[in-house]
Amino acid sequence: MEQTELQVEIPSVLKQTSCQNIKGFDCVDYGNRNDPNPLENAISDKESYGESIAGSNITKLERQEVVIISSPASPSGLHIGQTKLVLHSEKCENTDQNNTKNPYPQLAKQKKFHSQPILVRENGDRKVVHSEAIRDHRFDPFKTWSGRLERQISNLRGKPTQEPDIEAGASEREEIEEAPGVDRYFDALEGPELDTLRATEVSVLPEDEKWPFLLRFPVNAFGICLGVSSQAILWKTLNTSPAMSFLHISPMPNLILWWAALALILFVSLVYLLKIVFYFEAVKREYYHPVRVNFFFAPWIACLFMALAVPPSIAVNLRPFIWYILMTPIFMLELKIYGQWMSGGQRRLSKVANPSNHLSIVGNFVGALLGANMGLKEGPIFFFAVGLAHYIVLFVTLYQRLPTNAALPKELHPVFFLFVAAPSVACMAWAKIQGDFDYAARIPYFIALFLYMSLAVRVNFFRGIRFSLAWWAYTFPMTGASIATIKYTMAVTNIVTRSLSVCLSAISTFTVSTLLVYTIIHAFVLRDLFPNDISIAITRKKPKFSKMLAHFRSSSSDSKDFDSSVSKNSDI
Amino acid sequence: MEQTELQVEIPSVLKQTSCQNIKGFDCVDYGNRNDPNPLENAISDKESYGESIAGSNITKLERQEVVIISSPASPSGLHIGQTKLVLHSEKCENTDQNNTKNPYPQLAKQKKFHSQPILVRENGDRKVVHSEAIRDHRFDPFKTWSGRLERQISNLRGKPTQEPDIEAGASEREEIEEAPGVDRYFDALEGPELDTLRATEVSVLPEDEKWPFLLRFPVNAFGICLGVSSQAILWKTLNTSPAMSFLHISPMPNLILWWAALALILFVSLVYLLKIVFYFEAVKREYYHPVRVNFFFAPWIACLFMALAVPPSIAVNLRPFIWYILMTPIFMLELKIYGQWMSGGQRRLSKVANPSNHLSIVGNFVGALLGANMGLKEGPIFFFAVGLAHYIVLFVTLYQRLPTNAALPKELHPVFFLFVAAPSVACMAWAKIQGDFDYAARIPYFIALFLYMSLAVRVNFFRGIRFSLAWWAYTFPMTGASIATIKYTMAVTNIVTRSLSVCLSAISTFTVSTLLVYTIIHAFVLRDLFPNDISIAITRKKPKFSKMLAHFRSSSSDSKDFDSSVSKNSDI
Amino acid sequence: MEQTELQVEIPSVLKQTSCQNIKGFDCVDYGNRNDPNPLENAISDKESYGESIAGSNITKLERQEVVIISSPASPSGLHIGQTKLVLHSEKCENTDQNNTKNPYPQLAKQKKFHSQPILVRENGDRKVVHSEAIRDHRFDPFKTWSGRLERQISNLRGKPTQEPDIEAGASEREEIEEAPGVDRYFDALEGPELDTLRATEVSVLPEDEKWPFLLRFPVNAFGICLGVSSQAILWKTLNTSPAMSFLHISPMPNLILWWAALALILFVSLVYLLKIVFYFEAVKREYYHPVRVNFFFAPWIACLFMALAVPPSIAVNLRPFIWYILMTPIFMLELKIYGQWMSGGQRRLSKVANPSNHLSIVGNFVGALLGANMGLKEGPIFFFAVGLAHYIVLFVTLYQRLPTNAALPKELHPVFFLFVAAPSVACMAWAKIQGDFDYAARIPYFIALFLYMSLAVRVNFFRGIRFSLAWWAYTFPMTGASIATIKYTMAVTNIVTRSLSVCLSAISTFTVSTLLVYTIIHAFVLRDLFPNDISIAITRKKPKFSKMLAHFRSSSSDSKDFDSSVSKNSDI
């Protein structure tokens, strides 16, 4: 992968061309270039290179070899002094080169669980890196303090930074400030969760190596918290509900799950907080992602779940101020998100409608339920009303399947289980507000039940769908339906409802357990729980056709697939 | 029409060409051809013929003469032995040739009413057929046991079937298994009920002669059952409601209508059952038809109506198990149909939305009403909830009139009266569940009333619309509104509500009577109650332009109309 | 601007050309032309002129001078005798020339307030007019009795009208009968209120001079009545509500506002009645305007507001017959408008959906509230039900922001406050019907509150938006929300709700006051309260490109803007 290897492999005809281009290949912010758009530079260089090649008579094989060259870290030794410095001062940046030394001893234990596979690989890389002493700049655009802190320190040490570097930094800053528009996300990504790059697109971050852990840690991870904390509620309900007393469930599962969920929430929050601090651009891009944005509700909903699942041995009655604290961020996000739906820009509902939008609705009902549990009255109704109005809008929109909803998956997908979440929580919330599981509560309950059945009968559900962390978020609706069924069983106690309660509880626990096993396998065996989060690495503008072509030639997929995707794209 | 006539008409220049083609003209599955796509064969032959002609200097007149030749039955005498056998063994298949002898003596009386016109014509044809002793294979692709039974019998008799025949049968089978996609229905058909073939399309069944009765018997026929059984409910309500006692309605109309409806349901069910048995492919194509599929709810709704209309002299309280039996198929169909709406394939709601979808909603409310009448509680609320959720979705979708709803008629049409059905039944269902015609029941009632008035004021309603059997389905909502009004009158008894009840009941009875007269006229005078059901005879793939052209030349419509429809099609 | 000046300015090369064209320039119905399409004549003349010029080598300056010529009144002295007569007999027509003498002494006082600026200007013009004694025929197509009355009188006086005049009148009549289709409104106009002519369009009425006052008086003016009468309700509620008694509001503000609103309603109604009488074509075009049509509900809603705001000192209980009288036109309009939404012509909801549609919904709830206040029961529930059903449809449709909703503004706009109107009135109506501010009433109330907040936080709201009379209509929802909050405070009395009531009342009063100041400034200082109502002056058919070009050349806007708008248009 080093330049020496390179010279051996490249035929002499190509040597000059390639040498001219190597410098610019990876230089996201090289310092010696006055490039106004560094993020797209890597690509345009590839392109110009591809074009220059196109003139000569090189075979495909030769070209591919050359392109492979572009993947390693920048070969020039320009920043050697600086980079060494960085290795000491920027420990927490977690780039490929320097996140081997964990700067957070207090998190070491948990973190190791997830990062070990990466660490191992990086350990291998590290030697190369140290031997060359080169800092990888390719992740800089996503770093919060990419070059600044570095420069400040080197300035303190008396080494003036080159002027061009600052200029490049400024233009890079500019680029970062403009995150890609929603249309770009739809254009560049595909799949029900908009997390796969289209064949015609190129990533701004290297696709062929593992990114820093924090960059790969998506906001979807809060889904795990949702899954576990909702299970805690389920087992609390199974324990405390008189209608289910025949099962003789002990309070222990609730207690254990609650503490596990608490630990999980704390860990995920902390890691994500680090991401916010060190890779704010990446967080911003997640926030602008039309599907991901809904997951920003997840942490708060998980907290609401924790408050609902609190074991009776820890606290019986929570103080209402907790409710106000937890509902504030949800309310703020709603003002923002719902406003965007209505105000008709790029994020209008007919464009971004996706089952994951349910996550931004369900918070209202969970909030209403918790508030009603605490004995509040007006607040819960407020959120219930807001949730109802927007749920109707979303339900109709998703059911209609407008042709403009580009993001909606063609086939059913676990994400559709989110349909069940809102009505099953809503019925509990209303029953609590009203003080009785009356007809008005049964209507949403039965809607949830029908949707559940409607989804369950479509058995080819999990077939051919790639596992993803987001699946965790799709389990809590099943748990929610189970809890609602138990509440309903309390109102209508008979053998049918009891069986249904047991059945649904078993299914939801089984699903969560299966998912846990999957997650553990992916985390420790396959070591791909956190793959490169390609969703945040799309270019700001559509790559030109020649770029796509260059990119495509460099990739190994067959041209048939490419042609179809190109033509599909041009059709749109 | 025979070959002798033909030779006289064709000019000598054409003789050779035409003779080469005549053999293939109508041979849907001739047996001596290894054709992989028999259903489209007739057309492609016409096309190749037209193309071969195009090279020579024949005038248009000559060509038209030749094309006319293609319409009679196949002139080759290949299957003489087989066909004779068929005439004895396949009596129940009801093909053009052999349905003259009625194999169902128990149904003879009713059947004669409807089939007589066909019989008469077929009697005329029969002589020709018998003289030539040729079996018409053109309807085979729609037959359940088209060639198989035949072959089995001839094999038993020691005559081995030719190999090519089996191959052709296999490919035919293949074709049948793939019914046309939804898009094909929208592309090939037009009109509010998607029952008219576009000018650019060709039918796979002969358009210029009457098809077997069972092939022409649509699922829409259950609409008559809906119309009559709902009238039975109306007259029962008029008889039993204290608020309407001033009318002194006797229990007789209810009794008569109920028995008539029962006879009708039994008859229609039996005929349709025969269609399922003998022309399963035709039933399948009706099921895949985006408008027709909703009529598959009709038989079950009619049964629910029967249970609601049961005269007090026959039974006062029905047993709940009836409700469970009747709701099972409705529930199954709903899981299927609503799932299709949501799951976003070709049958997503924004594509198939059509007022006839109300038929698939209204069953929920009728079921809820019957269940509540029987004293059930949870089941009715379940169906009420499911109905409510989907009614809101459908109501909004239909009111919006999305530009993608290709099937929605441009102008108002009787089908729009289906809008009134769901809310008027819903209000009764809720009133029964709640035990009181409360505000929550009045809201759907008044919505129904407003929609009724909104439709009624558009007077140019029945103008310029071709009568169809489906109209029967559009009368039951009016009857439903009348019954709801009587129920409302029971809650709010005054001169206005009483007048309204009388008024609406009169209108609905008048409409049903008028429709009955129309139906009788069409059945016995015009003898076109069951025209060729072109909706099920569309080709699986879009015919090529040359085929359309060939088809068009052979038809008698003027070219102006054709040009416009072609250009319209290409615009879309 | 007179012909004498003209001859001085025009270079000799152009003289002949211009003279040939001058006659036809403004002659909408000249009498000496057999033109089948007089409304578009002015333009086609311009065009042909522009084209004839294009051949010669004239500089842009010259052309512009020539075009300026077309703006004054027709220079030919053909109708001198007639016109003089008109000046005496057609006093009430209010054309630029002759509305200086106010024919309605009883309205003089109020009218002067608004018309003075115009009068002053017209006084200046009048001298010219009288000196030339020429009648302006350009507004004739919009006049109800354009030429007829005139002709009748001249016929009475023995002067036979020329035949061609009558023919032209007939074709003109024809043109008027066909108002522009909805598509034309969307194509020709832009802006959230569809009140700005696109750059590529031409107006059928002169754009560069003030039109007769009645032609400029839009139906939007009833918005002022809504704003003031709703304030009267607010102050009545503040005065009478026990929960707000701590404010010690006197009954005077209510009394004053009520009388002011009454005077305003009478005045606006009278002026609009005159418009109906004298410019029926203009009223028709307003009625066909997809946004304006909703304002036809405004007069009736204002009357309902007046009935709700009636000061206790004038009447305590109103007679129910008033309710029936007021609801009749609303009901009729609803049958018409909602029917259009559903029936799927050009006015289907997915096409015309616009926040101003809320005006056509809110009447139901206001009617329900008034009826319930009067002690009626069924009527209010009827309108509540109708309102609810259509509000759900509209709410979902507007929230979805279908891409087909061409009229929906890209950015938020005061018109969005109409979202708040329906739920805030609905909650009061339900509370009154139910007799209690229960949960069912709180749900719409909280929805209104959330929407209010959602809109309020988007602070760049009033920035960069041109003031328009329609804004008045957007203030009553704020007032409605304030009143609903006071009603809610009566149910839940605490410091928070009381503060909210005071706060919202203050905001709404402040907004209305600000708007009043704005209106006064625009009326008396800027004198542009009633600008030319370009929305009604669009051509019936799309102008051809050459016409657009000619029109564009004659206008002073820069070509960059034009090009973009042309290309935008052709893209669509």
Side-chain angles (χ1 to χ4, degrees), chain A residues 339 342 344 350 377-378 390, chain C residues 399-401 439 442 458 488:
Chain A
M342 184 168 61
S350 68
K377 215 74 193 157
E378 303 306 315
H390 292 88
Chain C
Y399 232 110
Q400 282 183 334
R401 288 220 155 227
Y439 292 156
R442 281 177 206 187
R458 309 187 170 262
Y488 173 64

Side-chain angles (χ1 to χ4, degrees), chain C residues 237-248:
Chain C
T237 316
L238 283 173
N239 171 37
T240 56
S241 161
M244 305 310 285
S245 59
F246 69 97
L247 288 175
H248 303 294

Side-chain angles (χ1 to χ4, degrees), chain A residues 365-380:
Chain A
F365 295 118
V366 181
L369 176 57
L370 179 64
N373 267 345
M374 285 172 171
L376 297 172
K377 215 74 193 157
E378 303 306 315

Side-chain angles (χ1 to χ4, degrees), chain C residues 256-292:
Chain C
I256 293 165
L257 282 162
W258 193 80
W259 282 112
L262 189 68
L264 212 63
I265 288 176
L266 287 177
F267 170 66
V268 174
S269 303
L270 211 83
V271 175
Y272 204 76
L273 217 67
L274 289 179
K275 187 174 178 181
I276 292 172
V277 172
F278 293 111
Y279 291 97
F280 187 66
E281 168 66 12
V283 173
K284 220 166 109 187
R285 278 166 170 250
E286 286 199 296
Y287 182 73
Y288 286 127
H289 189 288
V291 173
R292 284 283 173 83

Side-chain angles (χ1 to χ4, degrees), chain C residues 474-534:
Chain C
Y474 314 149
T475 63
F476 91 87
M478 302 174 83
T479 314
S482 315
I483 303 167
T485 304
I486 298 170
K487 300 275 183 196
Y488 173 64
T489 304
M490 285 164 71
V492 182
T493 315
N494 61 37
I495 183 71
V496 177
T497 54
R498 274 185 171 157
S499 315
L500 196 67
S501 298
V502 173
C503 219
L504 292 183
S505 303
I507 291 172
S508 95
T509 305
F510 172 75
T511 310
V512 171
S513 311
T514 311
L515 213 53
L516 191 69
V517 171
Y518 259 88
T519 307
I520 289 169
I521 290 173
H522 277 274
F524 301 110
V525 181
L526 302 172
R527 291 176 173 171
D528 61 354
L529 186 62
F530 296 103
N532 285 348
D533 186 14
I534 226 74

Side-chain angles (χ1 to χ4, degrees), chain C residues 254-256 258-259 262 306 309-318:
Chain C
N254 170 32
L255 202 66
I256 293 165
W258 193 80
W259 282 112
L262 189 68
M306 289 305 288
V310 65
S313 56
I314 292 171
V316 176
N317 290 314
L318 290 171

Side-chain angles (χ1 to χ4, degrees), chain B residues 164-388:
Chain B
D165 203 338
I166 288 165
E167 277 179 38
S171 68
E172 178 191 303
R173 213 51 41 198
E174 220 169 76
E175 158 73 15
I176 285 165
E177 264 142 43
E178 288 185 63
V182 181
D183 285 327
R184 273 301 295 146
Y185 284 100
F186 284 115
D187 287 352
L189 300 167
E190 57 189 358
E193 292 157 28
L194 278 185
D195 55 358
T196 318
L197 207 66
R198 285 185 202 276
T200 54
E201 296 286 333
V202 289
S203 162
V204 291
L205 296 184
E207 283 176 77
D208 43 8
E209 71 181 88
K210 260 199 175 158
W211 305 346
F213 175 71
L214 285 181
L215 267 186
R216 287 180 288 114
F217 190 82
V219 71
N220 299 359
F222 284 104
I224 308 179
C225 309
L226 287 181
V228 178
S229 56
S230 62
Q231 278 290 314
I233 308 178
L234 172 64
W235 287 95
K236 180 183 178 184
T237 316
L238 282 173
N239 172 37
T240 57
S241 160
M244 305 308 285
S245 58
F246 70 97
L247 288 174
H248 304 293
I249 302 288
S250 94
M252 277 312 286
N254 170 31
L255 202 65
I256 294 165
L257 282 162
W258 193 80
W259 281 112
L262 188 67
L264 213 63
I265 287 176
L266 287 177
F267 169 67
V268 174
S269 303
L270 209 82
V271 176
Y272 205 77
L273 218 66
L274 289 179
K275 187 175 179 180
I276 292 172
V277 172
F278 294 110
Y279 291 96
F280 187 68
E281 167 68 11
V283 174
K284 218 167 109 188
R285 277 165 171 250
E286 286 199 296
Y287 182 73
Y288 286 128
H289 189 287
V291 173
R292 284 281 173 84
V293 64
N294 300 296
F295 281 88
F296 281 86
F297 283 94
W300 317 109
I301 298 174
C303 291
L304 291 173
F305 280 167
M306 290 305 288
L308 283 166
V310 63
S313 56
I314 292 171
V316 176
N317 291 314
L318 290 171
R319 307 271 284 281
F321 81 93
I322 296 175
W323 186 81
Y324 288 105
I325 290 171
L326 290 175
M327 293 316 285
T328 307
I330 290 183
F331 180 67
M332 293 299 172
L333 270 171
E334 282 174 355
L335 278 183
K336 181 80 187 162
I337 305 290
Y338 301 168
Q340 284 177 344
W341 289 358
M342 184 169 59
S343 67
Q346 284 195 315
R347 287 162 191 290
R348 61 171 181 274
L349 188 59
S350 67
K351 193 164 186 86
V352 301
N354 184 283
S356 62
N357 292 133
H358 281 298
L359 277 174
S360 55
I361 300 284
V362 81
N364 291 302
F365 296 117
V366 181
L369 176 58
L370 179 64
N373 268 345
M374 285 171 170
L376 299 171
K377 216 73 192 158
E378 304 306 315
I381 300 173
F382 175 83
F383 281 101
F384 189 88
V386 172
L388 182 69

